[in-house]
Amino acid sequence: MSARTHRRNLINVIMLGLTGLCTLAAVAVLFFILGYLVWNGGRYIDWDFLTQLPRPVGESGGGMANAIVGSGKLLLVAALAGIPVGFIGGVYLAEFGGKTFTFVVRYTADLLNGVPSIVIGIFAYTVLVLPMQHFSTLAGGLALAVILIPIVLRSTEDFLRAVPQTLREGALALGAPRWKAVITVVIPAAMRGIATGVLLSLARVAGETAPLLFTSFSNRFWSHGWNEPTASLPVMIFTYAISPYDEWRRQAWAAALVLLVLVLFANIGARLILSRKSLSRGF
Amino acid sequence: MKIASRGTRCATVIWVTLIMAAVMLSALPPATAAADRVQLNGAGATFPYPIYSKWFDEYHKRHPEIEINYQSIGSGGGIRQLLQGTVDFGASDSPMTDEQIRRAKIKVLHFPTVLGADVPTYNIPGVAAELKFTPEALAGIFLGKIKKWNDAELTNANPGVKLPGNDIIVVHRSDGSGTTFIWTDYLAKVSAEWKSKVGTGTSVNWPVGLGGKGNEGVSGLVKQTPNSIGYVELIYAVQNRMPYGAVKNAAGNFVKADLASVTAAAGVADQMPDDFRVSITNPQGKDAYPIASFTWLLVPAKIADAQKKKVLTGFLQWMITDGQKLAERMSYAPLPKAVVAKVTKAISLIQ
Amino acid sequence: MPAYQTSLTQIARRRTHAGKFLERLRSGDEIAHMVTLAFAASVLLITFLLVVELGRHSAASWHEFGWRFLVTSVWDPVFGEFGALPFIYGTVVTSAVALIIAVPIGVGAAIFLAELAPPLLSISLTFVIELLAAVPSVVYGLLGIFVLVPLLRSYVEPFLQSTLGFLPFFQGPAYGVGFLAAGVVLAIMVLPFIISISREALLAVPMEQREGALALGSTRWEATWDVVAPYARTGILGSIFLALARALGETMAVTMVIGNDPKISSSLFAPGYTIAAVIANEFTEATDDLYLSALVELGLVLFLVTIIINALARLMILATTRRGTEHP
């Protein structure tokens, strides 16, 4: 009897210890990635890296200024095209939708969110690049917008639904039409959450590479306006990482660090916005 | 209502910021852009990418208003994107096939630019010596029949070199590639088995090995993987200080790829056809390197945009005159004089 | 569907019970309804277009090969023979390896975070782990090439070969890049999904379940493993399916470490290819139309498979969370 209890306790301790180890392993991976990138990439980020164009193949020096700006422009197109669609669509689901149609849209959005980004790339190539007859910032940005829309839509819907029902009823009781109640009361109350969702969705698409390979392509020079191909950080990391040139490999590390820091900051920032919100709601 | 106004104001501020950023970015960088700035886009072969990027960089220095953006996505990609009309010009080290020309909706002109060589580059820890490869050895390795570095076919050709008994890791291209075309074209000429089993093409059904994207990817993988062998354009081995072997040519001599041996291979230039589509692998000359090739720019015969046409013909003119002087420094062989004369004439065919 | 769903609509509907369409139009509600509806419908439109485009561009390959496309294994652009089997095989094998590694670790960590860790620690560790999901794919690829692959080639693969070499999975030369490398990278990438969703499923298990088991004299582990985990089974399974869908469609990181060779080999050390990777490498350069069409058809296959698995995953997760809310 006591031997059996002893064994059960032993198993208890061992298994619980193992689950702790699993957690430790997962957490350690993140810190390893961060540490390794800071160590490897941090050394190579300098003024040239941030302000110069790439040099011809095999020559040392040069930087990724055009890729940094290019990534910014791609994100901007994605934001301008994707956020309104996702946001207003989300408002429909939470505030105006019926039952079946809402369910269908929500489910489709979840599925669209799960479509591999490389498939989105094919799609953008056939509907944008081929008719326009050139690779462009616009095509790349819109490909990213397709990824952005379902994320913004679903997070907007979720945060609107979390707004207390009493707020809506109060506004309607004052005789305001529904749309006015939504715009002046419901949306502002959920604004923080929605902004968080938008920030997270932008962080997610900022690192996307696959849909850019055949849409925004790449560019050795500055990309002017919106109709020329453009360099972007993720594509540069990819091309430089698989190359044999030590200089390029170093720049790939540096670019990866820049990208990772941006993405992690956005995530941590979003979390901070949200936690302040839940605190204030608690009172 | 106070919350409301704060929320709306917040949203307005965000949108105004975004739109302002858009306006600013689209104007950026205004300082460097000349008034009649023109950007051409080209894509294709990675084989001549180092010299093309040098050329386009030099040309941009001479004509700051001209930016020629060349992306090395592989020869197959160059042909495809040119025919799709998504780039202004393509580049390839395998001339378009009759079939491709027949199917193409537009007429495409081939312009040879320089000569280069495919070299077998390897990474064998502990072996510093320069290896010699017979055609049988190369075909055997890439067919997967020669599996170990100390195979008799290799040790017999390399007396005095102590080769390890490790497995050979073959690296080939994963994308459509003119470098592959040259390599397989050569192997098909020297090995009947290769010809029937694998054939010649920009991307083939490889019997063994790892795939790397572009000449960059193959050299990257070889550099990274002990006991590996791959084929890359000479410059990639030179720039990255990777060892590469000599290959036994048709006359029975082991020859290393260099300016003289590649130029010797171009001896056939006298019989250059009018459309410049010619293969020079496995030539007869006793000093000729057997796996060399011209590489071509592919330009549409009709360019609707007058400005683009002017820029492109201007560049081609510069490329076959001053541009050729840069070739040697980049380990490519400049075009033979007879070919230059022929190309000059051909440039006027662009309408 | 949540209970509070569309109560605003209901209130409004009651107000305008007589169906005063004109009044609603004048007040602007009808317009707001239409406008927002149009935006929401755009999601359906995009998805529809996506299917149409994939179908349209893969038609040539479908006509040429039919079902044979899925079961033949020759990928030969020179002779115009295209079979998807090696890519399907590679996709399945790498995802399987990923799950074999990630599921035990992920579920273990989820148990720790949901059942053992104090709330504050649990929340902060979960946040850190969720950050793993935010790391861009191409960064995983970069670390894969320069850290993981050399590690596998010099230590892990020779070790596996000498200890488990009698199994067909661990034979042949240690390339470093290959199925195993891709599987390990994918395992790390899907880990945060398994952990965070499984944790939520575990947290949704009613407290009484645990208390009951503990009161009957179970140890902490027995209560968790025999009572709590089975209760959350569907949610955990959902998280695994979601992770699977992610792994199947992952492109860049896999392309960088898989070895890019369309071969079916039993050894995990051997190089392979996945559907997503071959599209990334060959899509811009498929020289003839049949080749391109075959690549798009691969994209369609990938699309359909991930859609089905995602749909299943969502339904499972939906089922658990609902059960969680019904018995608080």
Side-chain angles (χ1 to χ4, degrees):
Chain A
M1 179 66 189
S2 90
R4 188 156 166 257
T5 318
H6 191 70
R7 210 187 46 151
R8 284 174 59 201
N9 280 331
L10 197 68
I11 290 178
N12 183 40
V13 170
I14 291 175
M15 294 315 284
L16 294 180
L18 277 180
T19 61
L21 271 183
C22 291
T23 315
L24 194 67
V27 173
V29 169
L30 181 77
F31 284 105
F32 171 78
I33 291 176
L34 254 181
Y36 201 87
L37 277 184
V38 169
W39 165 247
N40 248 320
R43 291 182 283 169
Y44 306 120
I45 297 183
D46 52 19
W47 190 241
D48 275 1
F49 175 80
L50 298 171
T51 57
Q52 298 282 307
L53 287 177
R55 307 269 306 136
V57 186
E59 291 182 20
S60 61
M64 285 200 190
N66 58 345
I68 295 170
V69 173
S71 267
K73 286 169 74 172
L74 285 166
L75 276 183
L76 205 68
V77 174
L80 287 173
I83 295 175
V85 177
F87 173 72
I88 299 176
V91 171
Y92 172 81
L93 293 191
E95 304 294 336
F96 295 98
K99 258 205 160 109
T100 324
F101 188 68
T102 303
F103 179 77
V104 170
V105 171
R106 184 188 306 133
Y107 209 70
T108 311
D110 280 344
L111 295 184
L112 188 60
N113 188 15
V115 171
S117 56
I118 187 85
V119 175
I120 306 277
I122 296 181
F123 174 58
Y125 181 81
T126 59
V127 299
L128 293 168
V129 176
L130 283 183
M132 287 164 76
Q133 289 285 292
H134 47 76
F135 301 101
S136 63
T137 307
L138 202 60
L142 291 177
L144 294 183
V146 172
I147 300 174
L148 197 78
I149 288 170
I151 310 178
V152 175
L153 181 112
R154 292 291 278 113
S155 72
T156 304
E157 186 201 354
D158 284 347
F159 283 108
L160 286 177
R161 282 185 186 286
V163 172
Q165 203 51 40
T166 45
L167 268 180
R168 291 189 184 84
E169 283 159 3
L172 289 176
L174 288 174
R178 230 186 328 168
W179 64 269
K180 214 164 195 172
V182 169
I183 290 181
T184 55
V185 178
V186 183
I187 292 177
M191 204 57 194
R192 258 205 180 136
I194 295 170
T196 313
V198 167
L199 197 57
L200 286 177
S201 67
L202 284 173
R204 154 91 195 275
V205 299
E208 283 293 349
T209 316
L212 299 181
L213 291 175
F214 5 102
T215 50
S216 68
F217 212 46
S218 195
N219 199 329
R220 253 266 299 132
F221 298 95
W222 289 104
S223 168
H224 305 261
W226 308 95
N227 273 324
E228 288 175 357
T230 182
S232 57
L233 278 175
V235 175
M236 288 296 255
I237 296 172
F238 176 56
T239 12
Y240 279 16
I242 61 173
S243 85
Y245 299 98
D246 293 328
E247 176 78 17
W248 279 9
R249 289 181 175 184
R250 282 196 282 275
Q251 293 202 10
W253 286 111
L257 179 62
V258 170
L259 190 60
L260 188 70
V261 166
L262 286 178
V263 168
L264 292 190
F265 269 2
N267 271 273
I268 294 168
R271 183 54 63 115
L272 287 180
I273 296 176
L274 212 57
S275 67
R276 259 204 299 168
K277 180 192 168 172
S278 53
L279 268 184
S280 65
R281 247 208 334 206
F283 280 101
Chain B
M1 283 300 112
K2 202 177 153 211
I3 321 170
S5 61
R6 190 169 11 119
T8 345
R9 190 146 27 96
C10 176
T12 321
V13 168
I14 291 172
W15 282 109
V16 169
T17 322
L18 279 179
I19 290 165
M20 267 167 51
V23 173
M24 265 161 55
L25 280 175
S26 63
L28 195 124
T32 56
D36 49 355
R37 193 190 65 86
V38 51
Q39 191 171 76
L40 286 190
N41 289 294
T46 59
F47 181 94
Y49 179 40
I51 184 149
Y52 284 5
S53 73
K54 183 77 191 160
W55 274 347
F56 297 135
D57 191 64
E58 284 292 321
Y59 202 64
H60 175 62
K61 276 185 197 148
R62 273 149 227 244
H63 307 271
E65 76 283 4
I66 295 174
E67 294 170 347
I68 305 179
N69 171 36
Y70 180 79
Q71 292 298 320
S72 61
I73 60 170
S75 296
I79 295 174
R80 177 83 207 175
Q81 298 310 324
L82 179 69
L83 296 183
Q84 293 277 23
T86 55
V87 292
D88 300 310
F89 65 92
S92 174
D93 347 292
S94 84
M96 286 170 67
T97 60
D98 294 338
E99 175 76 9
Q100 282 167 341
I101 289 176
R102 198 172 53 74
R103 283 199 189 171
K105 289 184 207 84
I106 53 168
K107 188 172 179 329
V108 175
L109 300 173
H110 290 64
F111 292 99
T113 54
V114 285
L115 289 133
D118 274 14
V119 298
T121 181
Y122 47 86
N123 172 358
I124 316 171
V127 175
E130 176 185 294
L131 294 184
K132 294 190 173 77
F133 293 96
T134 58
E136 296 74 28
L138 289 178
I141 290 172
F142 280 83
L143 277 167
K145 297 196 143 171
I146 296 178
K147 290 182 171 17
K148 304 267 183 195
W149 277 110
N150 59 0
D151 188 282
E153 187 64 53
L154 287 164
T155 47
N156 290 344
N158 296 283
V161 181
K162 202 174 157 10
L163 285 163
N166 295 327
D167 293 311
I168 298 178
I169 294 176
V170 172
V171 183
H172 55 72
R173 289 282 289 272
S174 63
D175 52 338
S177 147
T179 314
T180 299
F181 176 83
I182 299 163
W183 191 252
T184 52
D185 182 44
Y186 169 71
L187 289 180
K189 281 181 187 172
V190 297
S191 156
E193 189 180 356
W194 184 275
K195 192 171 183 180
S196 63
K197 264 195 175 165
V198 187
T200 302
T202 51
S203 43
V204 298
N205 185 17
W206 292 98
V208 282
L210 303 174
K213 190 168 163 60
N215 265 294
E216 300 92 327
V218 171
S219 6
L221 264 176
V222 170
K223 196 174 174 184
Q224 189 81 359
T225 315
N227 301 309
S228 60
I229 182 170
Y231 56 94
V232 294
E233 210 291 324
L234 176 61
I235 182 78
Y236 289 89
V238 171
Q239 281 181 335
N240 293 293
R241 283 177 227 85
M242 294 160 64
Y244 56 98
V247 181
K248 192 169 162 187
N249 67 11
N253 299 328
F254 284 100
V255 181
K256 263 202 113 171
D258 57 25
L259 187 63
S261 66
V262 172
T263 311
V268 294
D270 311 336
Q271 302 118 46
M272 177 64 93
D274 285 339
D275 61 3
F276 299 106
R277 294 186 300 145
V278 64
S279 156
I280 58 166
T281 52
N282 207 28
Q284 287 307 316
K286 72 177 178 27
D287 300 320
Y289 183 73
I291 327 177
S293 175
F294 287 98
T295 178
W296 296 266
L297 278 180
L298 308 178
V299 178
K302 275 204 179 69
I303 303 176
D305 187 326
Q307 196 190 20
K308 282 186 174 173
K309 184 187 143 197
K310 195 170 139 243
V311 169
L312 209 50
T313 50
F315 170 76
L316 286 171
Q317 290 288 0
W318 176 84
M319 181 273 293
I320 56 161
T321 50
D322 288 0
Q324 291 292 315
K325 291 171 196 154
L326 290 168
E328 221 169 298
R329 194 143 54 87
M330 306 287 294
S331 306
Y332 292 90
L335 294 176
K337 288 226 162 49
V339 178
V340 170
K342 239 180 141 108
V343 173
T344 316
K345 254 191 262 163
I347 293 175
S348 61
L349 292 176
I350 301 177
Q351 292 164 347
Chain C
M1 218 148 314
Y4 52 75
Q5 140 103 41
T6 62
S7 46
L8 181 58
T9 327
Q10 284 154 10
I11 295 167
R13 206 170 281 149
R14 241 178 283 130
R15 264 184 359 127
T16 58
H17 187 246
K20 292 276 178 276
F21 178 77
L22 270 181
E23 188 202 319
R24 291 201 301 154
L25 192 66
R26 202 166 40 238
S27 73
D29 278 353
E30 204 56 40
I31 296 171
H33 183 102
M34 290 301 178
V35 170
T36 54
L37 175 83
F39 278 89
S42 71
V43 171
L44 300 183
L45 184 72
I46 291 172
T47 313
F48 176 72
L49 267 180
L50 188 61
V51 177
V52 169
E53 280 295 308
L54 290 178
R56 197 160 68 89
H57 286 270
S58 62
S61 163
W62 174 249
H63 282 303
E64 180 77 23
F65 304 114
W67 291 107
R68 202 153 49 88
F69 182 72
L70 298 177
V71 293
T72 53
S73 57
V74 177
W75 187 261
D76 192 337
V78 180
F79 296 105
E81 270 299 312
F82 300 100
L85 199 59
F87 307 106
I88 296 172
Y89 176 82
T91 309
V92 170
V93 168
T94 49
S95 301
V97 172
L99 289 187
I100 289 171
I101 299 171
V103 168
I105 299 180
V107 175
I111 288 176
F112 178 82
L113 292 170
E115 304 293 318
L116 291 176
L120 196 63
L121 183 69
S122 173
I123 289 172
S124 30
L125 286 184
T126 308
F127 174 59
V128 170
I129 288 169
E130 279 171 356
L131 283 182
L132 269 180
V135 176
S137 168
V138 69
V139 173
Y140 278 113
L142 184 68
L143 286 154
I145 293 181
F146 294 107
V147 181
L148 182 68
V149 166
L151 204 69
L152 287 180
R153 185 174 48 231
S154 325
Y155 302 104
V156 179
E157 291 183 353
F159 172 76
L160 285 173
Q161 207 165 19
S162 63
T163 51
L164 297 168
F166 55 90
L167 293 171
F169 314 124
F170 304 115
Q171 289 170 355
Y175 284 86
V177 295
F179 293 119
L180 189 62
V184 173
V185 171
L186 284 177
I188 297 170
M189 297 181 74
V190 298
L191 199 53
F193 293 94
I194 298 182
I195 296 179
S196 105
I197 297 170
S198 295
R199 172 177 168 268
E200 271 166 37
L202 289 168
L203 286 177
V205 174
M207 213 55 204
E208 293 87 346
Q209 296 284 336
R210 294 181 186 84
E211 285 161 359
L214 290 173
L216 287 173
S218 299
T219 61
R220 193 76 182 266
W221 170 252
E222 286 161 351
T224 306
W225 190 247
D226 299 332
V227 179
V228 179
Y231 202 93
R233 194 175 43 215
T234 322
I236 295 175
L237 214 57
S239 82
I240 295 171
F241 270 65
L242 207 63
L244 177 61
R246 269 265 117 94
L248 292 174
E250 181 46 54
T251 312
M252 298 318 293
V254 173
T255 309
M256 292 161 91
V257 299
I258 182 85
N260 301 332
D261 192 42
K263 285 280 168 320
I264 296 178
S265 45
S266 60
S267 173
L268 294 179
F269 301 164
Y273 228 147
T274 66
I275 296 178
V278 74
I279 299 173
N281 273 332
E282 302 189 357
F283 188 74
T284 45
E285 61 186 37
T287 32
D288 67 49
D289 294 332
L290 186 62
Y291 190 178
L292 190 78
S293 177
L295 285 170
V296 179
E297 190 172 352
L298 277 177
L300 185 64
V301 170
L302 188 61
F303 173 80
L304 293 176
V305 171
T306 49
I307 283 280
I308 291 169
I309 292 175
N310 256 309
L312 287 175
R314 302 273 169 200
L315 286 176
M316 286 182 196
I317 294 167
L318 210 66
T320 22
T321 32
R322 192 192 283 166
R323 192 162 67 181
T325 49
E326 272 168 16
H327 310 277

